[in-house]
Amino acid sequence: MSHRPFHALAVLVAAIALAGCIERAPGSAAHTRQRPAAASKYVVNSAVSPQVRNRAVFGGAIELIGYDLEPARVPLGETATLTFYWKAIAEVDTQYKVFVHLDGRESQGRINGDHAPAEGRYLTDSWRPGEVIRDSIRFTVPGS
């Protein structure tokens, strides 16, 4: 039985991928889309400074600025929060999903944290250019 902390960021795959084929109705425009009331909970100051900076751009429309992991080292059986900071660069007509796979050492296995951003309450097709969106997920590292 190993008591070494799970190295959650040993392999971190964060990609935004198509969650379905969704088209905007003909004649509709992005500025007429209703902004969910929950949006303000997830939109943060654009000067955010994550622990780890990434600057990966997906489809020329969404940028992963970086992420925070609290705590930075997660012991077996403990829970952590991984927070991504996404920036909307352009309007997005599709709802995307975030794929997160965290690999541990040796036989600790993989944690699958795939999810809709912002707890499914502020989806990518509602994001406005220039906004920075905080997207947190909690996970528990498998025990021994």
Side-chain angles (χ1 to χ4, degrees):
M1 171 160 73
S2 172
H3 292 285
R4 285 184 286 176
F6 185 89
H7 291 274
L9 299 179
V11 175
L12 170 62
V13 178
I16 251 186
L18 185 61
C21 295
I22 301 172
E23 295 180 332
R24 189 187 320 212
S28 67
H31 67 275
T32 62
R33 287 184 276 183
Q34 190 75 18
R35 185 173 185 192
S40 61
K41 177 180 176 182
Y42 304 100
V43 177
V44 297
N45 184 322
S46 62
V48 68
S49 184
Q51 293 168 346
V52 179
R53 290 196 161 272
N54 258 14
R55 200 158 155 62
V57 177
F58 300 92
I62 297 174
E63 175 185 353
L64 174 60
I65 296 172
Y67 57 89
D68 296 333
L69 177 64
E70 293 296 330
R73 291 177 58 93
V74 188
L76 296 176
E78 297 296 319
T79 299
T81 301
L82 179 61
T83 301
F84 295 103
Y85 296 94
W86 304 100
K87 182 174 183 178
I89 298 171
E91 290 181 357
V92 176
D93 293 336
T94 306
Q95 293 178 357
Y96 289 92
K97 186 175 181 181
V98 180
F99 289 87
V100 181
H101 296 168
L102 305 171
D103 287 339
R105 288 186 175 175
E106 300 160 11
S107 62
Q108 290 173 322
R110 172 176 281 171
I111 296 170
N112 181 342
D114 299 355
H115 64 283
E119 301 174 309
R121 295 183 178 161
Y122 191 36
L123 302 175
T124 58
D125 63 345
S126 297
W127 293 2
R128 296 179 179 173
E131 288 182 329
V132 174
I133 294 86
R134 179 182 52 236
D135 172 32
S136 297
I137 61 167
R138 291 183 53 80
F139 62 92
T140 301
V141 174
S144 54

